[in-house]
Amino acid sequence: MLTGRESLSRLIGKRRRFLPNLQSILSLPIRSSLNLLSDKNGGLTETESSKGKVEISSSDLVTCPVCGSKVRGEDYTINSHLDRCLSRRTNRKLTQRTLLELNFGCSQSKLQISSDESEQLLSSDLSKNCSDYEENVTRCFSKIDPREEKSHDQGRQFPHTESVKQIDVAGSAENPISDGRANTMVDFSALSTDNEESRNHMDGTADSISGMAIDTFIVGRKFSDEKEVNLGANIYLLRDPDNIKDSNAIKVLSASSACCKVLGYLPLELAQYLSPLIEKYCLSFEGYVISVPKRSLDAVPIQIVCQNSIFNGKKGCDEFEALHLWQKALQVVEFAKNRPPNTTKYQQNFCLLLKEVLTSSPHLFTKDKKKFIESFTSLSEDSQRLFVRLYTRKGPWFRLSTIMYPEICNPQQAVKELSATGYLYLFEDTTKLHDDEMKDLLSLLTVSELRDILCTLRKKCNQGSRKQNLIASLLSCYKGGSCPVLQRLILERTEICIRTSPEAESLFWRAERLFFLNGEQDLSAFLLVDLGIVKYPTYNCIILEQIFSNESDLLAYEEAIEVAQVIDQSLDENNFELVLRCIMIADSRISCCPEKLIDSTSPDLMAIFRSCFSASWVYSKVILLGISFLECERRYKDAIHLLRRLLDCFTCDTRRGYWTVRLAVDLEHIGCPNESLSVAEAGLLDPWVRAGSRMALQRRVLRLAKPPRRWKTPSFSVSLKRKIVEVHIQGRPLNCEAGRKSRFYGEDGEQCGVEQLALQYYAREGGWQGVHTESGIWMTIFGLLMWDILLSDVPNVFRTRFQTAPLDMETDHFYLARKSLIEPQLQKIHDGLAEEILITSWELHMGTACRGVNWDQHSLSDLRAAVSCIRGPCLASLCRHLAQDYSSWSSGMPDLLLWRFHGDYKGEAKLVEVKGPRDQLSEQQRAWLLLLMDCGFNAEVCKVSTTGTSP
């Protein structure tokens, strides 16, 4: 995979179906000093603008045997193109063994769900659980457990000049405090805070509860004995402690029925507070039905009244606790007034997202756009549900006749309303469509319908009988103008087709982006929490500054993401001309707005992590991908030009190390060793060049800085030439082929990799226990030891309920903003308290998502053994490096972490980097090993060779 491709794909997230700036991206002239399209030999051409389309002689093009596209005829270009085709698993050649055995996929963590998986989860699970969600209709994003009330009461108070949001373990927000001066206050529509409750707590007494009426609903009607209810029917409540789904369940029974038939249940959120009042304080409730819904299974509005006093003659009852539970029940009732009980969960989450974005970022929407978004909540229930369903599906076109959802009563009427309000676009006449839209419409037809149209037009498909081939044949006729009736023929078979309107999709995409602040999360994040799959940590959102100061900055950022999506799609489609055009666009955009870039002399390090939401930062990622593409095409001069551009523009960026290394390498490729040496020497003076990149430049300087270029040996040569202990072992190979991961027979005769073979060797020779984990176990240890610091109250780094780490975690701002908290914690680790901290953090936060912490891969016993065997000073030094520069040191650690005990309390640890017969240490791995040696660790390299070969 091209360098930077995976990172850019994560930034883009789920690809948008509609790009509002696509035409301008493709047609507007580009003011760039680099004309990639007209220069095939890697030379730089100075131009004022590039039109984007360059005619290439047909004699210079060849046809790819895999995808059929035209590519330039140079040998290297053809080979690179074939590699990309085969990496997408397109018509794989079974004889090309080396390419087949490469793994072009990328692994994902448990919390990283691809857009396709998210869409399937959202559509399948929503359908599956729709009825279940309707039973718990008034549930806010996270219910509050009575056992957690005390911890909430101990929340820290903040100055009134700040805007604070308390995020609980499941992500709901509480305790908003603001004096009105901070316009970033976000209302999470959660329950009233405990602080507010404490102020109102004593307004009532135990006696005031008796006779008090509250309005609520009967839910879970599908489990009822009586499907019909009458207006004014008398009811009463009965505890159901044996309910397997909820031990706090409360039944609603008909008082007018001789056999006491069950009408349903109280909402779960209300039942959790009323059930202890009924059981412990012997309260009883009666009431009546105040409204009858249209559908028998819908929630039924009721009013219930407490019939007796709390104490009811009982002694030893805690009045304070009883009033506390009653106040919480009243909060649930008040909260439910703004959340209709028949609102499905995904509809509720979508409305909540829109509300929060409009509350937190009103300055990023014009008056008309805000009015359009706000109008969504005034739509009918069916219309809201249908739009969210279509918005989250792949689409873009859908046949109205095939739209059937159990929670949508009248989809036809919903379509009419959405169309009239501008949320949907209908294809029901012969309106002229773009070629892309025509292709999408044809994909809605079945194979038999496509063949029927071909027969009607008396056309033959010369490319085969597969659906894609049939569509291609019809599309070629439409583009050629020989088939003007194609739209009518499609409409006759599909009838009405619908899609979300570009305006609605653009606005709601913006709202979703502002809500999550990344492309990896979407509405499925709500679902993952609702289903209990993911639990987010507790933290405070203290928002003092906006990410985007005005709409123009946001629009520029959105356009940059569009360019990123275009280049990503173009690489998939092998449209290399469009790839080059996107590179030129990014180059021109960066060169035109230097005032937006970060100044290395600025003391405001917080601007570094905010810069990730700038257009310039996105364009830099596009250029980085473009550099990798150009290097694969051996267009080194063009790559050098772009690398210099990045280094000139981004003077304060941790990526400068990689850029400098690539610049030095590419200069050597074009035969300029003196310039390469000068670049490497200058890079070593750059404070942003760190870790493996710094070591790579040092090694390059040592190699090139020889007489007569340089006469003096660099001072770092002694440190760089330190010997790393090596251990050589032999194994019986299972395969010895280049391009494949080495496999061996283990001591038990089973197949294994080099790491497992090394683990067996160390267990046999030294009694070592350990795990093959690379950086994983260290990131888990760091996350657990620094948990409270990661989630500490630092302004502007927590902005949404769905974060697993602060926004500044991979910047220098992380350590500097928390130095007063980090250093005392490191001192505790230094003094040998790491194991105690680890156990406490594990027990308190088990299962909660946090950056780097992998609850499934590492057991508490392994973590305790590792921490207890690593000396406190070593572990503290390692954690300090991660806190100071997480982005540089969070990867490349040795493969194995080994430990062994000497008695009950003492032990030792060892870190081992394992290399197979054809592997070499990377610069990052070498940097880690030397750093670990400096920290006092026992570190070494284990080289595995095949039997019969010398070490």
Side-chain angles (χ1 to χ4, degrees), residues 18-27 436 562 566 578:
F18 171 76
L19 299 178
N21 299 298
L22 180 60
Q23 293 304 316
S24 62
I25 291 173
L26 298 179
S27 59
D436 290 340
E562 288 186 44
V566 171
L578 194 51

Side-chain angles (χ1 to χ4, degrees), residues 706-745:
K706 296 178 181 178
R709 291 196 187 99
R710 301 289 187 273
W711 296 95
K712 184 179 179 180
T713 304
S715 59
F716 53 78
S717 61
V718 176
S719 174
L720 196 64
K721 292 181 179 179
R722 283 182 298 168
K723 291 292 184 181
I724 300 174
V725 176
E726 293 185 359
V727 173
H728 296 268
I729 64 175
Q730 293 185 344
R732 291 186 299 145
L734 180 66
N735 65 311
C736 298
E737 300 179 23
R740 295 186 63 182
K741 184 175 177 61
S742 299
R743 300 287 295 174
F744 290 84
Y745 291 104

Side-chain angles (χ1 to χ4, degrees), residues 509-634:
W509 178 88
R510 175 186 294 186
E512 201 171 21
R513 194 80 182 196
L514 289 172
F515 184 85
F516 292 108
L517 291 177
N518 62 69
E520 297 182 81
Q521 292 175 305
D522 53 24
L523 285 171
S524 62
F526 284 98
L527 182 63
L528 294 174
V529 173
D530 293 337
L531 297 177
I533 299 175
V534 179
K535 182 171 70 172
Y536 288 92
T538 302
Y539 46 75
N540 293 322
C541 287
I542 308 173
I543 303 176
L544 303 180
E545 298 180 15
Q546 292 284 357
I547 290 288
F548 300 99
S549 58
N550 52 61
E551 188 183 13
S552 61
D553 287 346
L554 177 59
L555 290 174
Y557 178 71
E558 291 179 357
E559 183 177 346
I561 293 179
E562 288 186 44
V563 175
Q565 179 172 328
V566 171
I567 191 174
D568 194 43
Q569 289 179 263
S570 301
L571 286 170
D572 285 345
E573 299 166 358
N574 296 315
N575 188 343
F576 297 152
E577 290 187 22
L578 194 51
V579 170
L580 297 175
R581 181 173 180 82
C582 290
I583 298 171
M584 293 172 61
I585 291 172
D587 177 50
S588 66
R589 295 289 196 278
I590 287 180
S591 61
C592 290
C593 54
E595 70 278 359
K596 296 291 184 182
L597 306 183
I598 302 170
D599 183 5
S600 60
T601 62
S602 172
D604 184 15
L605 286 174
M606 192 163 58
I608 298 174
F609 74 82
R610 287 208 309 267
S611 69
C612 296
F613 302 99
S614 67
S616 298
W617 189 82
V618 178
Y619 285 128
S620 71
K621 297 182 77 67
V622 173
I623 290 178
L624 179 60
L625 177 60
I627 289 169
S628 180
F629 174 80
L630 292 170
E631 287 175 339
C632 288
E633 298 291 321
R634 297 190 178 181

Side-chain angles (χ1 to χ4, degrees), residues 286-506:
E286 296 180 3
Y288 63 95
V289 175
I290 60 178
S291 179
V292 178
K294 294 180 180 180
R295 296 187 296 184
S296 61
L297 295 183
D298 283 350
V300 179
I302 59 173
Q303 185 178 94
I304 56 176
V305 180
C306 180
Q307 297 298 313
N308 52 341
S309 171
I310 282 183
F311 297 104
N312 199 26
K314 294 187 68 176
K315 295 182 179 181
C317 293
D318 187 349
E319 181 179 4
F320 185 86
E321 179 187 8
L323 284 173
H324 178 83
L325 292 171
W326 180 253
Q327 289 291 335
K328 281 299 178 184
L330 294 180
Q331 290 172 21
V332 171
V333 172
E334 184 65 25
F335 176 74
K337 290 181 179 179
N338 299 322
R339 298 204 177 208
N342 293 322
T343 302
T344 53
K345 195 64 177 177
Y346 66 88
Q347 174 192 357
Q348 174 182 309
N349 292 336
F350 191 76
C351 292
L352 176 63
L353 182 150
L354 298 181
K355 181 180 179 180
E356 290 184 8
V357 169
L358 287 179
T359 303
S360 62
S361 307
H363 63 293
L364 299 179
F365 298 89
T366 63
K367 184 178 180 180
D368 291 340
K369 292 177 181 177
K370 283 193 286 188
K371 184 178 180 180
F372 184 82
I373 295 177
E374 290 169 349
S375 67
F376 181 82
T377 56
S378 64
L379 296 174
S380 66
E381 298 287 324
D382 279 352
S383 296
Q384 291 184 28
R385 295 167 187 166
L386 179 60
F387 180 83
V388 178
R389 284 287 195 178
L390 299 182
Y391 177 76
T392 54
R393 286 180 59 181
K394 185 176 181 180
W397 285 97
F398 306 93
R399 298 170 78 158
L400 180 57
S401 58
T402 62
I403 293 178
M404 291 179 291
Y405 296 106
E407 74 275 19
I408 300 177
C409 301
N410 192 339
Q412 288 76 17
Q413 183 61 35
V415 166
K416 290 182 180 179
E417 183 179 5
L418 290 170
S419 177
T421 51
Y423 288 92
L424 285 187
Y425 175 76
L426 275 64
F427 173 60
E428 55 182 344
D429 53 30
T430 56
T431 304
K432 179 65 176 178
L433 297 173
H434 296 296
D435 292 344
D436 290 340
E437 292 179 316
M438 180 58 67
K439 181 179 180 181
D440 293 331
L441 281 172
L442 286 170
S443 65
L444 295 178
L445 300 173
T446 64
V447 172
S448 60
E449 289 172 330
L450 291 170
R451 288 173 178 169
D452 186 35
I453 292 178
L454 282 170
C455 292
T456 303
L457 297 174
R458 298 181 180 178
K459 302 286 185 180
K460 291 184 178 181
C461 180
N462 299 322
Q463 301 176 357
S465 59
R466 297 176 59 188
K467 184 174 181 178
Q468 293 178 349
N469 298 329
L470 298 173
I471 292 174
S473 297
L474 288 172
L475 201 58
S476 62
C477 297
Y478 179 73
K479 290 180 179 179
S482 61
C483 186
V485 298
L486 182 58
Q487 294 186 46
R488 180 178 59 80
L489 295 175
I490 294 175
L491 187 59
E492 288 176 356
R493 288 156 179 81
T494 62
E495 298 178 341
I496 298 176
C497 293
I498 59 176
R499 63 164 295 173
T500 55
S501 68
E503 296 79 10
E505 190 148 325
S506 294

Side-chain angles (χ1 to χ4, degrees), residues 99-135:
L99 285 176
L100 277 174
E101 289 165 349
L102 293 178
N103 182 13
F104 293 97
C106 58
S107 60
Q108 299 180 358
S109 67
K110 184 177 180 179
L111 296 182
Q112 294 173 327
I113 299 181
S114 68
S115 58
D116 291 340
E117 291 171 338
S118 298
E119 179 187 329
Q120 293 172 4
L121 180 62
L122 188 59
S123 32
S124 64
D125 284 350
L126 285 178
S127 298
K128 178 180 179 181
N129 297 293
C130 177
S131 58
D132 294 336
Y133 289 150
E134 291 181 359
E135 297 169 25

Side-chain angles (χ1 to χ4, degrees), residues 58-81:
S58 59
S59 60
D60 294 335
L61 300 177
V62 296
T63 302
C64 172
V66 177
C67 67
S69 60
K70 299 289 185 179
V71 295
R72 294 199 306 272
E74 295 93 340
D75 291 341
Y76 192 82
T77 302
I78 295 173
N79 290 333
S80 300
H81 176 86

